[in-house]
Amino acid sequence: MSDSFVQLSDVTLMYGKSTAVPELNLSIREGELICLLGPSGCGKTTTMRAIAGLLNPASGSIHIDGRDVTRVPANKRGIGLVFQSYALFPHLNAFENVAFGLRLQKLPASEIKARTEEGLATVGLTGFETRKPAEMSGGQQQRLALARSLVMKPKVLLLDEPLSNLDARLRLEMRTELQRVQKETGVTMVFVTHDQAEALALADRIVLMQSGKIEQLGTPADLYARPETAFAADFMGFENIFRTEGGKVVTDHGALELGFVPQSPMLAWRPDGVTVGSGPHQGRVLATSFAGAHREYVLETALGPVKADADIALPEAAIGETLSFDLPEATARPLAA
Amino acid sequence: MFRNTREGLALALPAAIFSTLLFLVPVGILLSEAFRFEGGWSLQGYIDFFATPLNRTVFLRTLKLGALVALTAAVIGYAAAFCIVNLGPKSRGTIFGMVVLPLMISPVARTYAWIVILGRTGIVNETITGLGLSDTPLRLLFTETAVFLGLLQLFLPLMIISLVSAMENIPRDVIPAARVLGASWLAVFFKVILPLTKEGLVIGGTLVFTGSLTAYITPAILGGSKVLMLETLLYQRVNVSNDFVSASVIAMILIVMSFSANLLLKKIASARS
Amino acid sequence: MNTSSRLLANWIILGLTLTFLIGPFLIIILAGASDTSYLAFPPEGLTLRWYLKVFTVESFRASFLLSMALAIFGTLAALLLGVPAAYALNRYDLPGAETVRTIVAAPIIVPGIIVGLALLRYLVVPTGVTVTLALFMAHTALVLPYAVRVVSSSMHNLRADMEEAAVLLGCSRFQAFTKVVLPNIRGGVLAAFILGFVTSFNQVPVSLFLSGPGVRTLPIDMLAYMEITFDPSVAALSALLAFMSLAIVFVAERLLGFSRYV
């Protein structure tokens, strides 16, 4: 790929004797914010550590900015990493944490001071220079870790679940903050998370991973609307996933006749894609909950439980009542096996 | 980054090799001496050792004094630890510090004090003759009592430390709860405190027992050649009669005791975590 | 029992226990000041001459210096071996880590007198290594378990990703250790040094067999001295040594909260 800035070619990553990531191929464009998304153990953090040079690939190669860095040690790669734990240096104050890497480069004192202050300003920590990490809040520590990496002007900035230790309100704030910083600095960012909402909100492109393999790669809109596999569909909120057989959908429970003949081995519907209140099928209400704009139902059907969102205008059905529903062709997402 | 086994071994092995060459190998050879007999392997060294009445006496005396010191330390330790735990946080720290401090002081200095107390012109004899209870000073030094007192003073802090940390882990209201339910103080001790501090007692007891077993200075100063213990016997056997077989037997006894005590402690520690 | 009598009982028990534990030191201090040529308590007349005599006894001076040197350099050598070992045992998933741990801890389990005898018989005698060198190595090995244990416990809370962060900011592995790990375990290393120093300085059994003409550690020298002479100078010296230990521990506690490492 001509526009690839970070290129992983057939990279195999091992932990001792077990393979964590087999023959991974991935290319990342310059200046994009790419998100490695997947459940824990899917190999996303392992992949990130390989890009950083903290883990040597058993085979394959990694190129960054046109240079083969497969055997380049981590301290010579020019890559920044914001750790999940932030990994701030507890014995140094905020200023010295940020200046740490610059001092190693033996830059003139005036430049170190200028760049450190600029870095602290970028993340809104001006005035916190003499604070020790232990004296700062979680959000401030997060910003400090970001500044420490940014002042090094890294070619690529890796972020390992950077928002997972923050409370919900701060997390939203930091999301916007990260996007702003990325726009301002233009740095290529690789963001690792298990939270699909975070990935959808932040990323230019999402790499969905499972068991060390890339399940699907695409823009958030792509992944959200057009997952290609059952795993991707499940991760993107398609909670009803069924096999197809001729004109029917089937589960281990039973089967339902569809009004059309599907062309794919599997079909998936989001809860809001299921029609409730009308349709050829019947389901008994197992559970119901109010969700503001709609009401969520779990229906006991011939297929087993089906999750469906009903318009709030419809009268509420109590547990045990029977509701009619439909799995319409228009909202069905065809999936590969 | 830390998966490079060779790097890790390069850092850890110097210490292990040093300890192996300086400890395991020489001590291993010493232990093997008792099994070598007329060019072959045998248990003759052990048979001869225990055939000597003096050796048997010393062996049993060492065990007896070790057990007695541990038992006494447990009784005093429970009382002292219970009192310390009942103190306010501030005086608790101070008193605890005063209990720990003696451990940092030279055992020679700690034992020497008993010469001043128990000697011919020491405080006890001065009092006795001063009161006219006896015309001639009593022989208090070089007795089992003297060794016992010295060892007790040396190792009591270890017992108190173990018991205090065990008692600190007793849930706050358990003792008042038992009292409210009608338990006498004796019942509270045997039914509540003892079961809940069993671990601390075993840890403290093992430390005191093995400490007493392997102490050299106290029996040397306060027991002399009249009240030999295993360590002083070993020293005498080597220095006076060049008898390395006996030394090897004693070494084995001490190491086996010390090692089993350590295994016991490790087991307790791992059972807890 | 009512509260006040319980409180009284509490303090009586503690008072008796502390008298038993600490009283002897007070007795030693006074006995060393007795104006008699033999040990006496209560002291008959007060004098400082025994305290001053301690400094003029040639063998005490020599053995004090030897003990000091052993304690300082033996502990430094133990740290030199022990800090990397503690680091490796904490950071790496080593095969045989448990074995290494056991071997390094062995000197605590094996009674000192046996170690001293074994070293004399199988190191000094056959190889001609000097007694001083054997003493130095024995004290190093003796302190090593404490060094590894104390440094380990201070390294325990230090996360590995801090070093990875340092490396990604441009540090070599060694720089990451000196710039990030070392500053954060400084307290533990100092505590290990103090504990090692005190342990080595007060050590008797290991040094018992490892002594020769002119080579005696201070505690051994005191033992030898008190076999011949019964004047109060050993009491005075004991008191001085107790003060030295207490001063070291007190300063250490004030400076770095020593007790949390021990």
Side-chain angles (χ1 to χ4, degrees):
Chain A
M1 235 181 280
S2 58
D3 62 348
S4 112
F5 187 67
V6 179
Q7 176 71 48
L8 278 71
S9 314
D10 296 323
V11 170
T12 298
L13 303 171
M14 318 266 292
Y15 276 128
K17 287 197 168 57
S18 70
T19 305
V21 173
E23 300 191 359
L24 184 86
N25 286 287
L26 173 65
S27 75
I28 298 167
R29 299 181 199 124
E30 184 162 15
E32 82 173 326
L33 202 170
I34 202 161
C35 198
L36 303 184
L37 172 68
S40 63
C42 73
K44 57 188 193 300
T45 298
T46 311
T47 306
M48 185 202 69
R49 290 173 65 83
I51 297 174
L54 295 174
L55 181 68
N56 284 327
S59 64
S61 69
I62 300 174
H63 287 73
I64 294 174
D65 199 7
R67 174 166 161 244
D68 184 348
V69 297
T70 317
R71 299 282 155 224
V72 175
N75 56 344
K76 302 270 192 294
R77 275 193 198 187
I79 286 194
L81 200 166
V82 176
F83 287 83
Q84 185 171 14
S85 65
Y86 314 142
L88 294 166
F89 306 131
H91 61 298
L92 300 177
N93 63 26
F95 184 93
E96 287 305 323
N97 260 284
V98 176
F100 187 89
L102 301 173
R103 289 205 192 285
L104 284 166
Q105 294 181 347
K106 303 233 181 329
L107 298 175
S110 57
E111 190 184 341
I112 292 177
K113 187 159 186 289
R115 278 173 67 177
T116 303
E117 280 170 358
E118 188 198 328
L120 285 168
T122 311
V123 297
L125 282 180
T126 305
F128 286 84
E129 285 81 358
T130 55
R131 295 264 191 110
K132 289 275 180 72
E135 299 157 2
M136 302 172 86
S137 72
Q140 287 164 348
Q141 292 185 20
Q142 161 79 81
R143 288 160 196 267
L144 185 58
L146 188 61
R148 186 177 67 177
S149 292
L150 281 175
V151 289
M152 301 303 291
K153 302 206 163 76
K155 292 200 181 86
V156 182
L157 180 61
L158 309 170
L159 301 110
D160 187 10
E161 304 260 9
L163 306 181
S164 63
N165 287 336
L166 303 176
D167 65 43
R169 194 181 54 79
L170 263 177
R171 206 175 305 163
L172 285 180
E173 198 183 303
M174 278 310 293
R175 261 196 216 168
T176 6
E177 184 79 3
L178 280 175
Q179 278 175 317
R180 180 182 66 76
V181 166
Q182 203 243 349
K183 210 156 278 162
E184 269 174 28
T185 57
V187 67
T188 307
M189 275 196 192
V190 180
F191 188 104
V192 165
T193 183
H194 64 275
D195 180 344
Q196 87 276 22
E198 213 162 274
L200 291 169
L202 268 173
D204 294 324
R205 287 196 302 157
I206 294 174
V207 182
L208 181 64
M209 296 183 71
Q210 192 209 184
S211 318
K213 296 197 183 83
I214 295 180
E215 192 79 13
Q216 192 172 345
L217 192 160
T219 64
D222 254 352
L223 251 81
Y224 187 79
R226 288 178 292 282
E228 282 160 8
T229 63
F231 176 80
D234 184 41
F235 221 82
M236 289 297 148
F238 287 78
E239 290 185 67
N240 307 300
I241 303 173
F242 309 113
R243 291 193 310 272
T244 61
E245 245 169 50
K248 286 187 283 192
V249 279
V250 294
T251 65
D252 297 338
H253 265 268
L256 268 189
E257 198 74 38
L258 289 171
F260 59 98
V261 178
Q263 301 303 310
S264 60
M266 295 186 102
L267 284 178
W269 284 267
R270 290 181 187 286
D272 63 4
V274 179
T275 314
V276 186
S278 64
H281 312 300
Q282 303 290 308
R284 205 166 50 86
V285 177
L286 277 179
T288 164
S289 62
F290 175 69
H294 60 269
R295 198 179 299 282
E296 297 175 357
Y297 286 109
V298 181
L299 302 175
E300 175 64 33
T301 72
L303 292 170
V306 166
K307 288 191 181 160
D309 290 352
D311 196 305
I312 205 71
L314 286 174
E316 184 185 355
I319 291 175
E321 276 182 50
T322 305
L323 278 177
S324 46
F325 72 97
D326 190 16
L327 298 171
E329 183 172 15
T331 55
R333 172 63 199 163
L335 302 174
Chain B
M1 197 162 108
F2 298 107
R3 304 203 153 258
N4 187 339
T5 305
R6 227 184 310 161
E7 202 176 275
L9 285 177
L11 291 169
L13 281 185
I17 292 169
F18 183 81
S19 276
T20 306
L21 290 183
L22 268 133
F23 261 83
L24 299 186
V25 172
V27 171
I29 303 175
L30 179 65
L31 291 181
S32 74
E33 293 243 13
F35 297 104
R36 271 182 270 142
F37 185 71
E38 292 171 357
W41 296 94
S42 90
L43 286 173
Q44 197 58 44
Y46 283 78
I47 296 165
D48 290 349
F49 180 84
F50 283 104
T52 313
L54 173 68
N55 291 345
R56 280 204 307 267
T57 312
V58 171
F59 174 71
L60 292 175
R61 177 190 292 142
T62 307
L63 288 186
K64 183 184 78 184
L65 276 175
L68 218 56
V69 170
L71 197 70
T72 317
V75 174
I76 302 177
Y78 264 111
F82 190 71
C83 294
I84 289 177
V85 174
N86 277 340
L87 291 172
K90 209 173 159 197
S91 40
R92 184 196 292 202
T94 314
I95 300 290
F96 193 69
M98 289 170 82
V99 171
V100 176
L101 271 185
L103 290 176
M104 291 290 160
I105 295 172
S106 165
V108 175
R110 297 172 71 187
T111 307
Y112 193 73
W114 290 101
I115 294 189
V116 183
I117 298 169
L118 303 173
R120 285 178 68 85
T121 52
I123 182 167
V124 176
N125 271 320
E126 294 279 305
T127 314
I128 290 172
T129 47
L131 290 175
L133 294 174
S134 167
D135 294 336
T136 50
L138 300 177
R139 198 173 63 88
L140 300 167
L141 279 179
F142 311 122
T143 60
E144 285 194 6
T145 314
V147 177
F148 168 81
L149 283 173
L151 290 174
L152 185 63
Q153 199 242 359
L154 211 53
F155 296 115
L156 180 60
L158 296 176
M159 179 63 93
I160 298 180
I161 293 169
S162 306
L163 287 178
V164 165
S165 63
M167 282 192 196
E168 278 175 341
N169 291 332
I170 296 182
R172 253 186 88 79
D173 296 326
V174 166
I175 293 168
R179 290 287 289 164
V180 169
L181 290 171
S184 67
W185 276 109
L186 212 61
V188 167
F189 179 77
F190 282 105
K191 297 239 148 75
V192 181
I193 299 179
L194 190 62
L196 286 174
T197 53
K198 213 169 48 193
E199 264 179 19
L201 178 64
V202 174
I203 291 172
T206 319
L207 290 175
V208 174
F209 182 68
T210 52
S212 305
L213 227 55
T214 57
Y216 173 81
I217 300 157
T218 309
I221 296 181
L222 301 178
S225 55
K226 293 224 170 58
V227 186
L228 283 171
M229 298 225 335
L230 280 174
E231 287 236 350
T232 40
L233 178 67
L234 186 153
Y235 184 73
Q236 220 191 40
R237 280 283 170 279
V238 171
N239 256 20
V240 178
S241 45
N242 260 326
D243 174 4
F244 290 100
V245 173
S246 291
S248 169
V249 174
I250 298 172
M252 181 63 101
I253 296 171
L254 293 175
I255 286 178
V256 167
M257 297 255 186
S258 182
F259 192 74
S260 2
N262 252 279
L263 274 186
L264 182 70
L265 290 185
K266 236 186 190 165
K267 222 171 170 181
I268 292 171
S270 65
R272 204 183 321 176
S273 66
Chain C
M1 259 193 286
N2 63 39
T3 318
S4 66
S5 67
R6 224 173 57 224
L7 211 63
L8 188 67
N10 218 7
W11 281 109
I12 289 174
I13 293 175
L14 283 177
L16 288 174
T17 311
L18 288 177
T19 306
F20 179 64
L21 288 177
I22 294 177
F25 296 118
L26 306 178
I27 290 174
I28 279 203
I29 294 168
L30 289 176
S34 175
D35 197 6
T36 45
S37 59
Y38 53 90
L39 264 181
F41 192 89
E44 295 158 22
L46 289 179
T47 175
L48 278 179
R49 77 180 143 117
W50 302 115
Y51 279 93
L52 294 173
K53 189 198 170 191
V54 166
F55 294 94
T56 62
V57 176
E58 188 52 45
S59 78
F60 282 165
R61 272 214 319 243
S63 58
F64 176 77
L65 288 180
L66 175 66
S67 276
M68 270 295 195
L70 280 176
I72 292 172
F73 295 111
T75 306
L76 283 180
L79 284 173
L80 224 52
L81 290 167
V83 173
Y87 177 75
L89 289 171
N90 273 287
R91 272 291 174 275
Y92 296 82
D93 193 13
L94 292 180
E98 212 34 55
T99 316
V100 171
R101 244 182 263 269
T102 309
I103 291 174
V104 174
I108 282 188
I109 302 170
V110 179
I113 194 170
I114 298 166
V115 177
L117 175 61
L119 281 182
L120 173 72
R121 201 158 146 71
Y122 308 110
L123 183 76
V124 175
V125 172
T127 65
V129 165
T130 64
V131 171
T132 314
L133 184 60
L135 262 178
F136 167 72
M137 292 196 286
H139 278 244
T140 302
L142 182 85
V143 173
L144 188 56
Y146 298 98
V148 172
R149 198 187 65 199
V150 174
V151 174
S152 273
S153 75
S154 77
M155 210 174 278
H156 204 71
N157 298 321
L158 206 63
R159 297 180 51 116
D161 53 18
M162 236 169 342
E163 283 164 76
E164 295 182 335
V167 165
L168 286 167
L169 291 169
C171 278
S172 66
R173 285 299 305 283
F174 185 69
Q175 280 176 316
F177 181 80
T178 57
K179 284 178 188 292
V180 175
V181 178
L182 221 44
N184 283 300
I185 60 167
R186 215 185 47 198
V189 173
L190 257 167
F193 182 83
I194 290 162
L195 188 64
F197 178 90
V198 172
T199 306
S200 163
F201 194 87
N202 293 338
Q203 170 64 34
V204 169
V206 164
S207 323
L208 210 50
F209 286 109
L210 296 175
S211 57
V215 186
R216 257 187 198 158
T217 64
L218 184 57
I220 303 289
D221 204 33
M222 287 166 75
L223 282 178
Y225 185 91
M226 68 174 87
E227 268 174 24
I228 319 165
T229 327
F230 270 87
D231 71 25
S233 57
V234 171
L237 181 52
S238 293
L240 289 175
L241 288 179
F243 278 125
M244 188 184 87
S245 297
L246 293 185
I248 291 173
V249 173
F250 184 75
V251 170
E253 181 66 47
R254 273 293 144 92
L255 285 184
L256 35 102
F258 179 60
S259 51
R260 96 194 122 96
Y261 295 100
V262 184

mmCIF file of all heavy atoms in Angstrom, chain A residues 45 85-86 125 133 177 261 336:
data_model
loop_
_atom_site.group_PDB
_atom_site.id
_atom_site.type_symbol
_atom_site.label_atom_id
_atom_site.label_comp_id
_atom_site.label_asym_id
_atom_site.label_seq_id
_atom_site.Cartn_x
_atom_site.Cartn_y
_atom_site.Cartn_z
ATOM 1 N N THR A 45 -3.681 -5.433 22.510
ATOM 2 C CA THR A 45 -2.592 -4.835 23.277
ATOM 3 C C THR A 45 -1.251 -5.427 22.845
ATOM 4 O O THR A 45 -0.248 -4.719 22.738
ATOM 5 C CB THR A 45 -2.818 -5.058 24.790
ATOM 6 O OG1 THR A 45 -4.037 -4.407 25.150
ATOM 7 C CG2 THR A 45 -1.698 -4.481 25.611
ATOM 8 N N SER A 85 -2.070 2.384 32.860
ATOM 9 C CA SER A 85 -1.853 2.835 34.244
ATOM 10 C C SER A 85 -1.188 4.211 34.265
ATOM 11 O O SER A 85 -0.841 4.696 35.318
ATOM 12 C CB SER A 85 -0.954 1.850 34.956
ATOM 13 O OG SER A 85 0.312 1.867 34.335
ATOM 14 N N TYR A 86 -0.946 4.783 33.096
ATOM 15 C CA TYR A 86 -0.224 6.053 32.893
ATOM 16 C C TYR A 86 1.276 5.900 33.102
ATOM 17 O O TYR A 86 2.046 6.597 32.469
ATOM 18 C CB TYR A 86 -0.731 7.196 33.791
ATOM 19 C CG TYR A 86 -2.241 7.311 33.833
ATOM 20 C CD1 TYR A 86 -2.906 7.624 35.001
ATOM 21 C CD2 TYR A 86 -3.005 7.078 32.689
ATOM 22 C CE1 TYR A 86 -4.288 7.704 35.036
ATOM 23 C CE2 TYR A 86 -4.385 7.156 32.722
ATOM 24 C CZ TYR A 86 -5.020 7.465 33.898
ATOM 25 O OH TYR A 86 -6.375 7.524 33.928
ATOM 26 N N LEU A 125 -2.301 21.772 31.475
ATOM 27 C CA LEU A 125 -1.744 21.557 32.811
ATOM 28 C C LEU A 125 -0.769 22.659 33.222
ATOM 29 O O LEU A 125 0.050 22.463 34.123
ATOM 30 C CB LEU A 125 -1.046 20.196 32.895
ATOM 31 C CG LEU A 125 -1.948 18.982 33.043
ATOM 32 C CD1 LEU A 125 -1.121 17.712 33.118
ATOM 33 C CD2 LEU A 125 -2.833 19.097 34.271
ATOM 34 N N PRO A 133 2.930 13.309 40.673
ATOM 35 C CA PRO A 133 1.765 12.575 40.132
ATOM 36 C C PRO A 133 0.753 12.183 41.209
ATOM 37 O O PRO A 133 -0.449 12.276 40.988
ATOM 38 C CB PRO A 133 2.406 11.338 39.501
ATOM 39 C CG PRO A 133 3.768 11.780 39.119
ATOM 40 C CD PRO A 133 4.188 12.781 40.168
ATOM 41 N N GLU A 177 -10.970 15.791 24.161
ATOM 42 C CA GLU A 177 -9.624 16.296 24.348
ATOM 43 C C GLU A 177 -8.635 15.569 23.416
ATOM 44 O O GLU A 177 -7.818 16.198 22.755
ATOM 45 C CB GLU A 177 -9.238 16.056 25.812
ATOM 46 C CG GLU A 177 -7.902 16.598 26.238
ATOM 47 C CD GLU A 177 -7.932 18.093 26.499
ATOM 48 O OE1 GLU A 177 -9.024 18.683 26.397
ATOM 49 O OE2 GLU A 177 -6.857 18.653 26.765
ATOM 50 N N VAL A 261 -36.504 -14.859 0.872
ATOM 51 C CA VAL A 261 -35.500 -15.919 0.859
ATOM 52 C C VAL A 261 -34.113 -15.286 0.950
ATOM 53 O O VAL A 261 -33.661 -14.607 0.029
ATOM 54 C CB VAL A 261 -35.601 -16.769 -0.424
ATOM 55 C CG1 VAL A 261 -34.509 -17.838 -0.427
ATOM 56 C CG2 VAL A 261 -36.972 -17.392 -0.514
ATOM 57 N N ALA A 336 -21.573 -13.254 6.689
ATOM 58 C CA ALA A 336 -20.856 -14.463 6.271
ATOM 59 C C ALA A 336 -20.872 -15.427 7.449
ATOM 60 O O ALA A 336 -21.144 -15.025 8.569
ATOM 61 C CB ALA A 336 -19.424 -14.102 5.897
#
